[in-house]
Amino acid sequence: MSELARLAPNAAENLTPRQITHELDKHVVGQAKAKRAVAVALRNRWRRQQLPPELAEDILPKNILMIGPTGVGKTEIARRLSRLVSAPFLKVEATKFTEVGYVGRDVESMIRDLVEIAINMVRNEMQESVQGEATGRAEDRLLQLLVPLAQRPASQGVGFDPETSQVDDLAATREKFRKLLRDGKLEERKVELEVEDSSAKSFEMFTPQGVEEVGINLKDMMPGLFGKRQNREMTVAEAREHLIQQEAEKLIDRHQVATEARRRVEQAGIIFLDEVDKISGREGGRGPDVSREGVQRDLLPIVEGTTVTTKHGVVKTDHILFIGAGAFHVSKPSDMIPELQGRFPIRVELTALSEEDFVRILTEPESSLTRQYRELLSTEGLEIEFTDDAVAELARIAVEVNSSTENIGARRLATLTERVLEDVSFEAPEMGGVHLKVDGSYVRKALDEILEDQDLSRYVL
């Protein structure tokens, strides 16, 4: 097995294409072609990891371009994919970027963001591996806060009796407190703990972009602004969480974390680049927009394969998988510059959703809208039931509104359902113990008045 094969953090990396599509089917209705393309791309990552390093280096990922109207599942596939795979995953909108020379985010920032995601992923895994030792150390530090242990005298002299010494008395007291601590009887006791000032972390978020590229380390230049610590009073339960975190940080090797994170980004990273169609216009278009073709040209080396400098080291992008997506209502994939078109060899067209698809979306997924509302309102003691004709009516109206106004796909269902249950959601706290049946007539009564007024429906629905 190659060096790359050891990068798979868990069994999710070894899912077959059929298993991947099956998992996506639980949350996304239809769009079989898009699911298959994504599943094959993920499986190819695993296949490549099994090859000898010299051959694996030459096998580049086949990037995917998803084409379809809004609300048909492009983003949902990406969102579910990020939960399914254990590889570093980043979803970003192409419209966030501007051509170099303009005010805005540069395209390399998405690689730096992906590295940060990988850093957190690897750090969390390593912290879990040392959780037992960190918990033991945290307990010892808690006992020091609860019962400060006096230092044994440097010169004890002849006749010193350790059984009656103050040190041993304190040690015995400390063991009694250890038992109380483990029994959970001291959880609400207050202790004072030194913690890092959160304002220092907040300041780091606003440091100028590009600082890491030119090698400036603000922590070294202005140490007083970073890592500032302060004493805070908190309960034992709260202090335990802080101490476990602190001890786990001490036990892991930061250099090892950074090295492994960079390796995972380079060999298994995935970037979902949404709204690609918004940057697909060619130069000479109307309006004062920041050069869209310029953004494409800035993206090209990242997608083709280049090196990006991050504060955790240099990252090569050759084997990162890019999944582009866009509605392409106005522009076309052929409007992209030819070089960038060639870097997305797999094209998948997602189909518009039908009335039948809307019925399935309302009922089949594990987190369907109808289930979400049932569970939300059950917290108030209100039992709500959606009949088949209510679901069918919601689907019918969603298709009607989409066809007469802007077609926003499945997102229309959330607007309609919220409107239907608006009064119920407001009055739910006073409806405990009530069983409410939402049928077709209930849905029509809630929506017909708005649907009849075309001008109003454009704003409300």
Side-chain angles (χ1 to χ4, degrees):
M1 184 176 291
S2 72
E3 170 73 10
L4 298 176
R6 75 180 188 83
L7 295 177
N10 60 40
E13 288 289 320
N14 302 328
L15 290 175
T16 65
R18 195 178 303 278
Q19 289 172 325
I20 293 170
T21 54
H22 177 70
E23 290 298 319
L24 291 174
D25 284 340
K26 294 178 181 179
H27 308 284
V28 183
V29 170
Q31 313 302 355
K33 289 183 180 179
K35 293 174 185 174
R36 286 170 67 92
V38 167
V40 170
L42 287 183
R43 185 63 176 182
N44 281 339
R45 310 302 297 277
W46 178 85
R47 290 166 180 160
R48 177 178 167 272
Q49 290 172 4
Q50 314 309 308
L51 298 176
E54 61 275 10
L55 179 58
E57 187 65 25
D58 293 330
I59 299 178
L60 301 178
K62 306 299 186 291
N63 298 323
I64 302 168
L65 183 62
M66 293 185 184
I67 305 165
T70 184
V72 297
K74 301 187 298 295
T75 303
E76 187 65 12
I77 288 174
R79 192 165 70 91
R80 295 298 173 179
L81 190 67
S82 67
R83 297 184 182 183
L84 179 62
V85 301
S86 53
F89 182 99
L90 174 70
K91 176 186 175 293
V92 64
E93 286 74 35
T95 50
K96 286 185 176 179
F97 304 117
T98 58
E99 185 182 5
V100 171
Y102 291 88
V103 175
R105 299 201 73 187
D106 64 282
V107 294
E108 291 187 352
S109 64
M110 64 183 174
I111 304 300
R112 294 193 287 270
D113 291 343
L114 188 63
V115 171
E116 290 298 332
I117 290 170
I119 288 285
N120 290 333
M121 180 185 296
V122 174
R123 183 191 291 119
N124 290 339
E125 290 174 10
M126 290 189 174
Q127 285 180 348
E128 285 181 14
S129 68
V130 298
Q131 193 73 9
E133 186 176 352
T135 301
R137 290 189 176 192
E139 183 180 85
D140 288 339
R141 287 185 60 187
L142 267 177
L143 289 171
Q144 290 175 9
L145 294 172
L146 291 166
V147 188
L149 186 60
Q151 295 295 318
R152 186 181 296 270
S155 176
Q156 297 172 347
V158 180
F160 175 78
D161 184 4
E163 293 183 358
T164 59
S165 70
Q166 182 182 9
V167 172
D168 288 334
D169 284 345
L170 285 170
T173 303
R174 200 167 175 226
E175 289 307 311
K176 291 178 183 178
F177 270 79
R178 188 188 299 275
K179 186 176 185 308
L180 292 172
L181 194 62
R182 291 178 176 176
D183 291 341
K185 297 179 179 179
L186 301 176
E187 297 296 282
E188 298 304 317
R189 177 167 291 200
K190 297 287 186 179
V191 294
E192 194 172 87
L193 181 65
E194 187 180 53
V195 296
E196 189 173 345
D197 187 359
S198 58
S199 63
K201 293 184 178 179
S202 301
F203 182 82
E204 290 186 40
M205 295 173 61
F206 298 100
T207 53
Q209 293 183 20
V211 164
E212 57 196 35
E213 284 88 338
V214 296
I216 298 175
N217 191 330
L218 290 181
K219 288 187 178 182
D220 293 338
M221 295 174 61
M222 296 177 288
L225 290 176
F226 297 94
K228 189 176 180 181
R229 306 183 72 84
Q230 60 180 0
N231 289 331
R232 272 182 53 197
E233 188 178 67
M234 60 184 74
T235 64
V236 166
E238 294 170 336
R240 183 186 290 107
E241 296 299 320
H242 281 279
L243 290 171
I244 291 176
Q245 183 75 19
Q246 290 176 12
E247 293 302 322
E249 283 286 344
K250 293 177 184 176
L251 289 168
I252 63 177
D253 185 340
R254 293 189 178 186
H255 177 72
Q256 185 181 355
V257 169
T259 302
E260 178 63 16
R262 290 198 310 272
R263 187 180 292 117
R264 288 196 191 176
V265 167
E266 292 179 342
Q267 306 297 341
I270 302 172
I271 291 181
F272 184 86
L273 196 59
D274 205 0
E275 298 182 352
V276 174
D277 57 318
K278 304 297 193 303
I279 62 166
S280 295
R282 294 295 187 91
E283 288 294 352
R286 55 187 172 79
D289 294 340
V290 170
S291 169
R292 290 172 291 181
E293 185 175 336
V295 177
Q296 293 181 62
R297 295 197 179 281
D298 288 346
L299 275 172
L300 183 59
I302 303 290
V303 180
E304 272 189 331
T306 187
T307 56
V308 176
T309 302
T310 76
K311 65 182 179 183
H312 301 290
V314 175
V315 173
K316 295 174 64 178
T317 67
D318 302 66
H319 297 286
I320 294 175
L321 175 66
F322 289 86
I323 303 175
F328 289 97
H329 286 312
V330 179
S331 61
K332 306 181 295 296
S334 58
D335 288 332
M336 297 165 64
I337 59 175
E339 300 90 335
L340 193 59
Q341 287 184 53
R343 298 309 301 175
F344 288 89
I346 301 176
R347 308 286 175 85
V348 181
E349 187 172 356
L350 284 80
T351 57
L353 298 171
S354 64
E355 187 174 326
E356 181 183 351
D357 290 329
F358 283 158
V359 170
R360 294 178 59 197
I361 289 170
L362 284 168
T363 56
E364 289 185 12
E366 291 183 354
S367 57
S368 65
L369 272 175
T370 51
R371 181 185 177 186
Q372 289 178 29
Y373 277 100
R374 279 200 306 269
E375 297 297 329
L376 279 172
L377 294 173
S378 69
T379 60
E380 306 277 10
L382 171 61
E383 185 181 350
I384 189 168
E385 175 189 351
F386 289 90
T387 64
D388 291 342
D389 62 325
V391 171
E393 191 65 18
L394 278 169
R396 183 191 68 79
I397 294 174
V399 171
E400 179 183 332
V401 177
N402 276 344
S403 62
S404 61
T405 60
E406 188 72 23
N407 187 350
I408 60 172
R411 293 185 177 93
R412 185 72 66 188
L413 293 172
T415 307
L416 293 172
T417 310
E418 183 66 28
R419 186 72 187 184
V420 167
L421 297 176
E422 185 178 29
D423 291 339
V424 176
S425 296
F426 183 83
E427 298 172 3
E430 288 79 43
M431 297 175 67
V434 174
H435 177 89
L436 175 66
K437 180 180 287 189
V438 177
D439 55 17
S441 62
Y442 188 101
V443 172
R444 284 189 293 274
K445 182 180 178 182
L447 297 176
D448 272 355
E449 184 179 344
I450 299 173
L451 289 171
E452 288 173 3
D453 188 338
Q454 291 293 326
D455 291 334
L456 182 60
S457 68
R458 290 178 181 274
Y459 291 99
V460 177
L461 301 179

